[in-house]
Structure formats: structure tokens, C-alpha cells
Amino acid sequence: MTEYAEDVHVQTRAVHITATPPVGSIPAAVPLYQTSLFTFDDLGEFSNAWAKTGGAFTYSRFGNPTTKAFEDTIAKMESGSSAMATASGMGAISAVLLSLLRTGDHVIAQRGLYGGVFSLLADLTERWGIEVTYIDAEDPREVEKACRATTKILYLETIANPMGHVCDLPSFAAAARAQNLITVVDNTFASPVLCQPLRHGADVVVHSTTKYIGGHADVVGGIVVVDDGTVAEKIWSFGAELGASADPFAAWLSIRGLQTLPVRMRVHCENARTIAERLAVHPKVCEVHWPGLPDHRSHEIATELLSDFGGVFAFDLRGGMQASHDFTKRIRVAALAPSLGGVSTTVLHPASISHSGMDENALDAAGIKPGTLRIAVGLEHVEDLWSDLEQALA
Ligand SMILES: *Cc1c(COP(=O)(O)O)cnc(C)c1O
């Protein structure tokens, strides 16, 4: 801020506070630039920055130093060239779909998608005439079969919710490329620690950073990562027009979470392995859907694609709906709650919560039963967690 006379009034003094930028030393943590706008000394520099040629920050919906630190780091972790942090995971997904699609376009999407995306696609169909074909994502030939002249996007999830289905991403991305489609992958469940979809042929990666990247159940956010500059420009400019941008404080909290992501993921996966293996032999449980188990239908491809198998999975209780009610009433260490990826364990009933938008046929096709529960394994001591689940099953 420009220097001005010392003899200003108390009101002006109170309003115009300047922080001295550190000189000769660097803050160890990324500073939080909780500012919506930036000031300039020179109109020429301002107009250059506004036209995005100067590169200076102008207004935080278009860019902010704290948010950019988060974006640049995730872009590198995902092997992309740039990233855009958004206000939520759905903000990221909406920005991608709305910037790459127009009326009459067609999307091929994996069945059993995150519920919010399923509803968004249904709305886009009804209101904007965007058509969707759902595939099982078991055989890459499904892409060519479903493809039309108007198809623009193949939409997949690295580890699908809640049954842990992992598709053969390299083959699906190659099949999409052969048809000139853009492959979008939701990498929320794997995080960049377990998988980097851009390395396997994906064009766009999206995350709900609310989950593992934030990691502490205290921030809602999302991010889009792209390697191709033309695709990035389309998404960044439309995303900013939509107002999908992240708030700097949310980005700052996400940075704080991100620093421990690899360590947390290791424990989430280790704890999930112990719980999955014990549930798999428990008499009250008929099936466990963790892709790390050798009899899971995606085990082979998951072993090739992921460095570990994640912390979220579903399991089926023998007693159906009543057993689901009893179990969720008795848990004490694990909490009955939506969401996942935080430090503490959460359990939910997909048929009545995350997948309640599906009718009976769709639930059946997705393998979700009245006795199916989803657990997002946290960072508690695994024996405390197991004792809790064991007493809840008794
Ligand atoms: C939670 C979630 C989303 C949506 O993210 P929000 O941050 O809640 O908007 C999208 N995809 C997956 C896989 C999720 O788990």
C-alpha cells in the first residue's frame, strides 16, 4: 500500500493496516492470504494483471497465493500441469462437466457413481438435454459400444463407492482416446498417494478434498487437475465464471491436511486391512468388499493400479435391515455419519443415505443390500476399533 501522511484521522488509521512482508527470512508454513482483492500502484500493471498477462493476483475468485500453493502442490502430486481448487468436490465436478459439455452432448459414466454426481447428471439430462449412458466398467469394449457421434466424456472413479470396484483405467482411457473422448476420473477414494490417474491415460482428475486430502472433517473443498493446457483453460475460465473457486482459508486448511496425507493414508489402509480381514471371517458377516482381499472381483487390477487398497469399504450383514439398525445403534468408537477420509471412523448405511436416490433395481445392480454397511476406517488404534465393531456385531 502506498505511504501517506502521518496525520490521518483515527478512522483512516484503523482501516489501513499494512503488514511488513518478511525480508531476509521465509515463513515456514504457507501464509494464509485471507484477502478477496489485491491493490496496485499503477493502472498499467493492474490492467495487465486483469488481462492475465502480468500474472499478478487481482481478485481471489480468479486466483490467490494460498490457494495457488495448494493447487501447484496437488498438480505436481497428480502429475498434471495445473490445478484449480474449488469450493467443494461437487464444485469441481460441476465446473468440469459444465465447461466441457453443451446441450445435445452425451456422457458415458460408470454405474454406481457418487450419489451427488448421479443426481447432477440426471438434472443435466432433464434441464440441459445432456444424455448419459451408464456402463458396468468391466470391459473396455463397453466404451465403443456406448459411444455416439455426440459423446464427449467418459466419467470414472478410481475406487467406486461403496463396493470398491476398480476398473482397468489404462484400457478404458485408451478406448476413450480412440473415440476422441475426454476421460474424467474422480480420484477421491484413492488420493494421489494411492493412484495418479493422469499417468494411466486420464485427461482430467477431480477430488473432493473434503475427504482424505483435507483429512480432518473440518473443511469442504474440491480440486480439478489437468495436464493439457487447452482443456485446463476451458475449465479454469468457466469454473471462475461459475464461482466454483475455493476460499483461501479452505485452501489453507487443505494444505495443512495435505502435508500428512501420505502418513495418514498408510494407517487408513493398514487399519482397513485388519478390519476387512477380521470381518471377512466373522459369522455375522456374509461378504466384505475391500479390493485388497484376494477374492474381491477387482483385486487383480487394484493390485496393478494402486499402491494400497484404501480405507473405505462395504460389508454385508447376514441379518439384513434389522441387523444394520442394531449395529449402527451399538457402535461407540466408530460414528454413524456421512462422509469419509477424516481421522475418525465413520459408518453409514448406503441404501438409506449415500445411495438413497437409487430405486430397488439400481441398488440391486450396484450390489447394495439392506444389510450392506459402509465403513471409512479412521486412525484410531485398530484394536479399539475392532473391539467396538465386535461388540456391535455380537
Ligand atoms: C464426497 C464426494 C464427492 C463430493 O464432494 P463434496 O466435497 O461433498 O462436494 C464427490 N465424489 C466422491 C467420490 C465423494 O466421496
Side-chain angles (χ1 to χ4, degrees), residues 164 166-167 291-292 296 298-309:
V166 177
C167 79
H296 189 282
S298 300
H299 182 64
E300 207 175 307
I301 185 68
T303 307
E304 279 176 38
L305 217 55
L306 311 173
S307 63
D308 207 331
F309 303 97

Side-chain angles (χ1 to χ4, degrees), residues 50 89 158 175-176 191 384:
W50 196 254
T158 321
S191 91
D384 294 335

Side-chain angles (χ1 to χ4, degrees), residues 88-91 93 114 117 157 186 188-189 208 210-211 220-221 340:
S88 66
M90 287 308 296
I93 294 161
Y114 176 73
V117 179
E157 292 182 358
D186 185 333
T188 300
F189 274 44
S208 166
T210 312
K211 315 293 167 56
V220 174
L340 60 111

Side-chain angles (χ1 to χ4, degrees), residues 30 55 57 62-76 81 83-85 223 248 251 255:
V30 176
F57 296 104
F62 303 131
N64 171 284
T66 306
T67 310
K68 186 171 188 307
F70 179 52
E71 293 167 337
D72 290 348
T73 309
I74 296 278
K76 287 203 184 91
S81 64
M84 179 184 181
I223 199 159
I255 288 171

Side-chain angles (χ1 to χ4, degrees), residues 109-115 117-118 134-136 157 159-165 355 358 362 365-366 368:
Q110 177 176 353
R111 218 183 294 283
L113 285 180
Y114 176 73
V117 179
F118 185 76
Y134 286 96
I135 58 169
D136 292 330
E157 292 182 358
I159 307 175
N161 180 25
M163 309 312 271
H165 175 49
H355 295 67
M358 289 184 172
I368 299 167

Side-chain angles (χ1 to χ4, degrees), residues 137-191:
E138 294 285 1
D139 182 345
R141 282 171 297 188
E142 292 171 84
V143 175
E144 196 188 335
K145 247 184 245 162
C147 203
R148 307 177 189 170
T150 52
T151 312
K152 294 282 154 49
I153 286 178
L154 171 66
Y155 190 101
L156 305 167
E157 292 182 358
T158 321
I159 307 175
N161 180 25
M163 309 312 271
H165 175 49
V166 177
C167 79
D168 181 353
L169 184 56
S171 305
F172 275 85
R177 184 141 305 179
Q179 306 291 332
N180 280 322
L181 312 184
I182 292 177
T183 302
V184 178
V185 177
D186 185 333
N187 199 31
T188 300
F189 274 44
S191 91

